[in-house]
Amino acid sequence: MRLTPERRSNEPAVGRKSTHHLSARWAADRGGARCVFSHRGRGNCCVIMFRHVLPNAMVATLTMLPFIVTGTIGSLAALDFLGFGLPSSAPSLGEMTLQAKNNLQAPWLAFTAFFAFAIMLSLLVFIFEGVRDAFDPRKTFQ
């Protein structure tokens, strides 16, 4: 099958696509071209960047942020537990876990350390998920 300029894919030629379909398909390309060549087009490049690119990039960043923060807190607690983190006089979750390990006759220390970790990290994830939903440009409130 030979590809002609009118037929650029291997789709069967049932009928021609309407110009409305093609204009909707190439709308993003026109917006990108208008951004690149803003001195020739009608739009301002900064307006396009702040209205379209930045909100979508912010959602991707806010999606990863809770996992980065919880991983950092867990790493800091693990380093404190091993003795490589904050000084031993400073209160931290790792120090609390280390004291629970050293005092196994007092199980409430281990329960306190575990529930402090679990509740704090869960609340951080829930708060960041709420922030992400608040900044999502595709979310519609009714």
Side-chain angles (χ1 to χ4, degrees):
M1 172 175 8
R2 188 170 157 229
L3 297 177
T4 62
E6 294 84 22
R7 204 163 138 203
R8 298 199 184 267
S9 68
N10 291 331
E11 301 173 345
V14 174
R16 294 199 183 264
K17 294 182 180 179
S18 66
T19 57
H20 175 71
H21 172 75
L22 292 176
S23 66
R25 183 175 165 197
W26 292 330
D29 295 338
R30 282 196 314 264
R34 190 172 43 202
C35 182
V36 171
F37 302 108
S38 64
H39 62 279
R40 294 182 190 166
R42 294 179 295 165
N44 187 0
C45 186
C46 293
V47 172
I48 292 172
M49 293 275 288
F50 282 112
R51 277 197 194 150
H52 301 289
V53 176
L54 186 64
N56 289 321
M58 191 169 51
V59 170
T61 304
L62 287 174
T63 300
M64 287 302 296
L65 195 60
F67 304 109
I68 292 171
V69 170
T70 55
T72 304
I73 291 172
S75 299
L76 179 64
L79 286 173
D80 285 342
F81 178 75
L82 295 173
F84 295 115
L86 296 172
S88 62
S89 61
S92 68
L93 290 171
E95 183 68 29
M96 185 166 58
T97 308
L98 183 63
Q99 288 179 7
K101 185 187 98 111
N102 292 336
N103 298 315
L104 291 177
Q105 71 274 11
W108 57 87
L109 292 174
F111 291 134
T112 304
F114 172 75
F115 285 119
F117 270 122
I119 291 171
M120 184 180 66
L121 296 181
S122 299
L123 286 177
L124 276 173
V125 168
F126 290 146
I127 288 170
F128 277 116
E129 289 295 318
V131 169
R132 182 185 62 87
D133 285 343
F135 283 109
D136 194 359
R138 292 181 220 117
K139 182 130 181 162
T140 57
F141 297 104
Q142 296 181 16

